[in-house]
Amino acid sequence: MKLQLPSVKSSEITPKSIFENRREILKMAAAGALGLELSSWFAREALAQTKLNVKQNPAYTLMDKQTPYKDVISYNNFYEFGTDKSDPIAYATSLVTRPWKISVEGLVGKPKVFDIDDLLKLMPLEERVYRMRCVEGWSMVIPWVGYSLSHLLKQVDPLGSAKYIEFTSLADKKQMRGLSSDVIQWPYVEGLRLDEANHPLTLLTLGLYGEALPNQNGAPIRIVTPWKYGFKSAKSIVKIKLVEKQPTTSWFLANPSEYGFYSNVNPEVDHPRWSQASERRLSDDKGFFAPKIKTLKFNGYGDQVASLYAGMDLKKFY
Ligand SMILES: Nc1nc2c(c(=O)[nH]1)N[C@H]1C(S)=C(S)[C@@H](COP(=O)(O)O)O[C@H]1N2
Ligand SMILES: [Mo]
């Protein structure tokens, strides 16, 4: 269906009328009526989140065509809201993102509970365009907003005994209808080695396309590790814990042979059900008719991250 533009003169478009139309459109989106046709300028404006004050980081730009906003926000994996790609945009409207606290704890000298609005001010916000690769075979190019996770970790004085980091997503049945299913163990837990977490590429992510994260993309705060498969990028995080032993992640518990702890993008190591040699890049309106392209080792970030795995057998540590 096509969106019907309201018949108002431009002089009558007030902040209030925009707000009310935004609510209407969000309701329609929640009812699934908009489908993938969120293409008009009006829908884009009406769905807009809080604008963030962002500066592009020239070290992280890409020649790759960016995935259109409407696809970034409507084709998602966020099992807390259902397992279909169209569930998150429809049902994540129930997620309440204020107030929001993130506890950073475990093997640290100064554990601290951060308020999301303080984290938005902790460091200047950067725009970084990253390639994202889902283990299911699709990929996107997304202008994320945030800063390196290492800046946050510095605040809590990690102890020498900390070797890994564990991210825990919100699990609240009242807000997340997907929790009634036990596809994976809740809360969603992911993890990284501490040196991976401290790598400058690892982004504490607060927004995309210059605005606060839409709920379906993991508002108000998530991780993004672009050289790993998408499921390592935990959404809607409430706890970050530094630990000594490798965390047991939700995906590993669900299927240890399919979801290794490292999960570095690697075209030479296939997932038991999906080849990882190529991917369908969702970067224009062709969507799933887009031609397949070759998947790059470490998703193209090998120059930056390969040294983290020197001497490791990446088939064994998949
Ligand atoms: N809490 C939580 N985080 C999650 C997921 C999830 O289901 N729950 N899905 C993961 C998967 S499989 C992918 S591909 C990415 C998708 O992120 P995007 O929807 O912002 O593109 O989120 C990851 N983070
Ligand atoms: Mo994924």
Side-chain angles (χ1 to χ4, degrees), residues 59-70:
Y60 304 102
T61 55
L62 286 177
M63 298 300 280
D64 308 41
K65 191 164 185 270
Q66 291 178 16
T67 301
Y69 178 83
K70 67 174 172 50

Side-chain angles (χ1 to χ4, degrees), residues 193-213:
R193 232 169 45 193
L194 194 57
D195 58 343
E196 297 177 318
N198 271 317
H199 191 284
L201 265 178
T202 300
L203 191 69
L204 190 71
T205 307
L206 298 152
L208 57 82
Y209 270 104
E211 56 190 44
L213 279 174

Side-chain angles (χ1 to χ4, degrees), residues 55-117:
K55 240 177 114 182
Q56 224 174 26
N57 184 328
Y60 304 102
T61 55
L62 286 177
M63 298 300 280
D64 308 41
K65 191 164 185 270
Q66 291 178 16
T67 301
Y69 178 83
K70 67 174 172 50
D71 296 327
V72 175
I73 66 160
S74 64
Y75 191 84
N76 307 98
N77 272 338
F78 199 169
Y79 278 17
E80 285 86 335
F81 296 101
T83 53
D84 283 355
K85 304 285 178 280
S86 57
D87 284 337
I89 190 175
Y91 301 117
T93 47
S94 58
L95 178 67
V96 179
T97 58
R98 290 294 187 287
W100 191 281
K101 309 255 184 230
I102 306 105
S103 171
V104 188
E105 54 181 68
L107 300 173
V108 297
K110 293 191 290 185
K112 189 172 170 183
V113 177
F114 292 87
D115 187 274
I116 184 66
D117 292 309

Side-chain angles (χ1 to χ4, degrees), residues 76-80 134 144 169 188 217 222 230-231 233 235:
N76 307 98
N77 272 338
F78 199 169
Y79 278 17
E80 285 86 335
C134 177
W144 297 111
S169 299
Y188 193 99
N217 296 93
R222 69 177 293 176
F231 67 86
S233 299
K235 294 178 166 179

